[in-house]
Amino acid sequence: MKTFYWAVLAAIVVTILAVLFVPGVDDFVEQVFQRYLGRTAR
């Protein structure tokens, strides 16, 4: 279970760094989050 939390933390950090430093990634991340949040909201 501890490994799962470290993997989630690593994914969040990589996502934040990609959004900050790679142009165009923020739109992709926003689309992915809206897709998953839209499914859970239904």
Side-chain angles (χ1 to χ4, degrees), residues 15 28-39:
T15 302
F28 172 74
V29 171
E30 184 179 352
Q31 287 176 357
V32 170
F33 276 121
Q34 286 183 0
R35 188 178 307 144
Y36 284 112
L37 291 177
R39 285 184 193 164

Side-chain angles (χ1 to χ4, degrees), residues 1-39:
M1 198 68 173
K2 198 175 202 182
T3 306
F4 172 75
Y5 289 124
W6 280 113
V8 169
L9 179 65
I12 291 171
V13 169
V14 168
T15 302
I16 291 171
L17 290 175
V19 167
L20 289 176
F21 295 111
V22 180
V25 173
D26 53 348
D27 293 332
F28 172 74
V29 171
E30 184 179 352
Q31 287 176 357
V32 170
F33 276 121
Q34 286 183 0
R35 188 178 307 144
Y36 284 112
L37 291 177
R39 285 184 193 164

